Amino acid sequence: MVYVSPKTLVIWMALFKGSISPKQLLKYTVAIALMIATVMSYFFDPMTAKFSYRCPVKALTGFDCPGCGGQRAIHALLHLRIREAVNYNPFLVIAALYLFAVILLTFLHTPRLDRARRIVLGERTAIVYLLLMLLWAVIRNFPAFHFS
């Protein structure tokens, strides 16, 4: 996961003072961080990379969190190995599609997309997404539904 410190944002704001709003600056900083994370996920296999992130929930409790297997799933998705990605974390494959829609609707501002933007970025959708994530956290820890 990529962390953007407040100090970094202050530096970015000083560089672009007056040219873009703080909200736009944050949006573009997050977009750049996501691009860097995507490139790193493409080139570094979490199964072999020495610096890959280990799940603290799994380490502390022994249970899989909703994101366990996510790094491997993203790496597989970026290499178009869909079946492998689904085996690692099926919820994350769906979440990646949702995230892609959020990113597109955040940056594309056309009147034809206003309804889709209201739905995808709406409060109800966020609540449904969080409930599905919690449900997935429970389901994935049943032995019958275990994913590697």
Side-chain angles (χ1 to χ4, degrees):
M1 186 187 273
V2 177
Y3 172 74
V4 179
S5 72
K7 184 177 180 181
T8 304
L9 289 176
V10 170
I11 293 169
W12 273 91
M13 288 177 72
L15 289 173
F16 297 104
K17 188 175 183 178
S19 60
I20 59 175
S21 71
K23 186 176 178 179
Q24 288 176 314
L25 182 62
L26 179 63
K27 185 169 56 171
Y28 291 123
T29 303
V30 169
I32 290 168
L34 280 173
M35 285 188 264
I36 292 169
T38 301
V39 169
M40 288 184 66
S41 294
Y42 182 84
F43 287 109
F44 297 104
D45 184 357
M47 296 292 281
T48 58
K50 293 180 182 179
F51 57 84
S52 71
Y53 176 73
R54 303 290 177 222
C55 179
V57 173
K58 177 97 172 175
L60 292 172
T61 66
F63 292 110
D64 290 334
C65 77
C68 279
Q71 288 181 17
R72 292 173 289 166
I74 290 172
H75 181 76
L77 271 177
L78 291 172
H79 289 274
L80 302 177
R81 298 189 306 250
I82 309 299
R83 181 170 284 151
E84 185 180 335
V86 170
N87 284 336
Y88 287 133
N89 190 327
F91 183 78
L92 192 114
V93 174
I94 295 167
L97 293 172
Y98 176 69
L99 178 64
F100 185 69
V102 167
I103 291 169
L104 278 179
L105 293 171
T106 300
F107 286 98
L108 296 177
H109 294 286
T110 62
R112 292 190 321 178
L113 295 175
D114 285 345
R115 184 168 187 259
R117 188 176 296 105
R118 280 193 306 274
I119 293 169
V120 172
L121 302 177
E123 185 178 323
R124 285 184 183 164
T125 305
I127 291 169
V128 168
Y129 180 80
L130 289 173
L131 289 173
L132 288 173
M133 186 173 66
L134 290 173
L135 180 64
W136 170 243
V138 173
I139 289 173
R140 80 169 308 168
N141 284 293
F142 287 120
F145 298 105
H146 187 72
F147 293 87
S148 56

